[in-house]
Amino acid sequence: MAPRHSGDRGGGGNDGGMRTRIVSALLFGTVIGLLLSIGSLKMSKMQREAAAAINAAREQAAKTETSLKAELDKAGATETATAELKRQLSQVEDQLRKAEADRDAARREAGAAKASSSKAAQAAEELAKRKDEAERLKGEVAEWRDKAKAVSGGKSGEERHEPLLPSRERDELDPELAAFLRKVAVNNEVFAAMSNANYASPGGMLDTWMEGVQRAGVKNAIVIALDSVTRQNAESKGIPAHEIHVEIPKAQAGNGDNHAVSAMKFRVLRKFLRLGYSVFLSDVDIVVLQNPFKFLKRDSDIEGMTDGFDNATAYGYNDVLDDASMGWARYAHSMRVFVFNSGLFYIRSTPAAMDLLNRVVEVVENTGGWDQAIFNEAIYFPSSPQHEDVHVKRRVLDYLNFMNSKVLFKMVRHNPDLKEFMPVTIHVNYHPNKHERMLAIVERYVKGDVHALDRFPGGSEPGS
């Protein structure tokens, strides 16, 4: 046997080690191929990133395998070349570990997405239940609204306080009155006085009223004439008049002519409102000094003049009853406000205002009583076991602008700070000698005679 050269020992050892490395590389390539089988699964974004990393590792392994084979052919490879191969193989192993980590993260993400999908399904189911509940409640609300509409003439909620407007369909309810109002109304509003022949004689209170509205520039003033004499007198003065015949109800027959006529106005007003026209209604014992429409807010169903004579009585105050016998609870509080005067108020053509008029007409014509008291009870009294509120919005007009005769004769004429003040209207409602005082008011505020009111007592009795 021929002796071996010392250089053969190193070459044989290197061949065995190289083969081991090749086998290892092939095994890693096989593992990488198996990992690629997960690519058939639906991938999330992270899964796609993991697959890309694995593909990169596979390509690198293939390159390494080729390189290793080439190096094997070079039996005389140096230790330096072997070290470089080890370094490259280590890099492949690192890339593989990273790819496996990314794959595991992708699987966790897929699991989380599945769990999230389950939660989303539960949320969707809960949302569907809530939608069903909302639809059920919506149906209940609609049902209650229908009940409210049946009570309020077909309107509910805020709709009850929105004015009805004129229309051809409404005109058919009263074609003659509708044609008259279309000619004289301004912005679907009129300033109206209702009168019969008792006040329509030449030089009478109706004349003084008509002269006032003409002087104040009220272009939409009309007279609701209860007879032909009144209509003819109004028209002769240049004021449009509409003649209406109404029968005094039996319940008002014993209340005197003035109160009986006053009670009829609520039935007449319904004719105007149902056609879509709002009315500023005025008694004839009122002196008009400015256009009253310029002083309205139009935010309520009714804006009325007050019988009050200061801020408390006109707008409301806390009234306290002292009952000493109750000891610790001797003081009992109540709320008070002076009434609207039914001789001067603006009423809008709203469903709520129609409900008010229907209530007043029902009581006035069937039960009887003073129409002003009935009017205010319908406006102010709350719902109770004895009363059902008609729920109107109301506003008290400024008691100095829309002045009653108590305010004028008891206070204003004696107040030097109000010497230059010009009221909008003055209603001679607190005194019996109405026309005489009306004429004196004209002398004072129209003709400028500051002493025109001096001869009158504050009340109805001398020296008051």
Side-chain angles (χ1 to χ4, degrees):
M1 178 180 294
R4 292 185 301 175
H5 296 284
S6 59
D8 291 340
R9 185 181 304 165
N14 288 341
D15 288 345
M18 188 65 67
R19 290 189 184 93
T20 301
R21 291 185 181 90
I22 291 173
V23 170
S24 298
L26 290 174
L27 286 175
F28 278 115
T30 303
V31 171
I32 291 172
L34 290 174
L35 290 175
L36 288 175
S37 65
I38 67 172
S40 62
L41 299 176
K42 184 177 180 179
M43 295 182 179
S44 65
K45 180 179 177 180
M46 188 174 291
Q47 287 175 312
R48 289 194 296 272
E49 291 176 353
I54 291 172
N55 287 333
R58 180 184 181 186
E59 291 174 0
Q60 185 61 42
K63 291 179 182 179
T64 302
E65 180 179 349
T66 301
S67 177
L68 288 173
K69 288 180 179 179
E71 291 298 328
L72 182 62
D73 293 336
K74 297 176 182 179
T78 63
E79 290 295 330
T80 302
T82 301
E84 176 63 21
L85 290 175
K86 288 181 178 180
R87 185 186 65 78
Q88 292 178 5
L89 182 59
S90 177
Q91 288 179 346
V92 172
E93 290 173 344
D94 289 343
Q95 290 175 1
L96 179 60
R97 283 192 293 270
K98 185 177 184 303
E100 289 175 336
D102 290 344
R103 179 203 61 193
D104 294 340
R107 285 176 176 173
R108 288 194 297 271
E109 181 183 297
K114 184 176 180 181
S116 177
S117 176
S118 177
K119 291 181 179 179
Q122 292 177 356
E125 183 179 356
E126 181 65 22
L127 179 61
K129 290 180 180 179
R130 293 185 180 183
K131 284 183 177 180
D132 291 342
E133 178 67 9
E135 288 298 320
R136 185 186 68 78
L137 293 174
K138 184 178 179 181
E140 288 188 6
V141 170
E143 182 180 348
W144 280 107
R145 281 179 176 170
D146 289 342
K147 291 179 180 179
K149 288 180 180 181
V151 175
S152 61
K155 300 291 183 180
S156 62
E158 286 303 309
E159 291 180 340
R160 296 186 65 247
H161 308 289
E162 292 297 323
L164 305 173
L165 299 177
S167 66
R168 296 302 175 186
E169 292 75 14
R170 294 188 184 282
D171 288 356
E172 295 177 1
L173 298 172
D174 193 334
E176 184 181 356
L177 177 58
F180 172 77
L181 290 173
R182 283 189 179 274
K183 293 178 181 178
V184 301
V186 176
N187 297 324
N188 304 324
E189 297 173 329
V190 292
F191 188 67
M194 190 169 73
S195 178
N196 60 13
N198 292 340
Y199 306 106
S201 59
M205 280 198 292
L206 180 59
D207 279 5
T208 303
W209 181 88
M210 290 189 291
E211 291 166 2
V213 297
Q214 290 174 324
R215 194 167 46 238
V218 184
K219 303 298 184 183
N220 53 344
I222 66 170
V223 170
I224 302 171
L226 300 180
D227 49 60
S228 59
V229 172
T230 303
R231 176 180 56 79
Q232 292 168 6
N233 182 43
E235 291 174 345
S236 70
K237 298 291 184 180
I239 298 293
H242 183 72
E243 188 173 340
I244 293 179
H245 296 278
V246 291
E247 182 179 351
I248 296 177
K250 293 180 179 180
Q252 293 292 326
N255 289 341
D257 187 62
N258 288 347
H259 284 297
V261 170
S262 179
M264 294 159 60
K265 63 191 173 192
F266 298 104
R267 175 174 288 277
V268 173
L269 279 174
R270 289 196 306 189
K271 296 176 179 290
F272 286 73
L273 266 62
R274 69 177 181 171
L275 294 177
Y277 294 89
S278 301
V279 181
F280 206 141
L281 189 70
S282 170
D283 281 354
V284 296
D285 57 345
I286 290 176
V287 179
V288 180
L289 299 168
Q290 299 188 66
N291 189 334
F293 288 104
K294 295 181 180 179
F295 297 85
L296 293 175
K297 295 292 185 180
R298 296 180 177 84
D299 61 353
S300 303
D301 302 301
I302 185 165
E303 299 182 51
M305 168 197 162
T306 176
D307 275 355
F309 45 83
D310 56 23
N311 285 339
T313 56
Y315 309 138
Y317 64 100
N318 185 0
D319 187 37
V320 181
L321 174 67
D322 182 5
D323 183 358
S325 67
M326 289 298 294
W328 177 80
R330 66 184 293 175
Y331 300 112
H333 292 254
S334 65
M335 310 309 295
R336 292 192 63 187
V337 61
F338 276 39
V339 298
F340 282 121
N341 189 289
S342 61
L344 185 69
F345 61 89
Y346 171 76
I347 187 165
R348 300 177 83 199
S349 59
T350 66
M354 283 294 293
D355 290 345
L356 170 64
L357 293 178
N358 289 337
R359 174 67 58 78
V360 175
V361 169
E362 178 186 3
V363 178
V364 164
E365 297 188 358
N366 295 295
T367 304
W370 185 25
D371 66 282
Q372 180 165 292
I374 296 169
F375 178 60
N376 278 274
E377 289 172 2
I379 292 172
Y380 282 115
F381 282 6
S383 294
S384 69
Q386 297 179 338
H387 177 79
E388 189 65 31
D389 188 7
V390 293
H391 303 289
V392 292
K393 291 183 178 181
R394 68 261 189 202
R395 171 179 285 276
V396 180
L397 294 170
D398 188 307
Y399 78 94
L400 287 176
N401 283 332
F402 297 88
M403 194 180 296
N404 62 57
S405 56
K406 179 175 181 176
V407 173
L408 174 64
F409 286 99
K410 295 286 286 186
M411 287 162 268
V412 170
R413 66 170 174 169
H414 302 303
N415 188 337
D417 293 336
L418 297 175
K419 183 177 180 180
E420 302 300 325
F421 179 75
M422 178 63 70
V424 180
T425 62
I426 299 176
H427 189 181
V428 187
N429 62 315
Y430 270 99
H431 300 87
N433 51 338
K434 295 178 178 294
H435 197 210
E436 184 181 1
R437 292 188 185 238
M438 287 177 69
L439 295 174
I441 290 170
V442 173
E443 292 291 326
R444 167 65 181 86
Y445 287 102
V446 177
K447 300 180 180 180
D449 182 358
V450 295
H451 300 291
L453 307 179
D454 292 351
R455 70 181 187 272
F456 296 98
S460 60
E461 301 301 323
S464 60

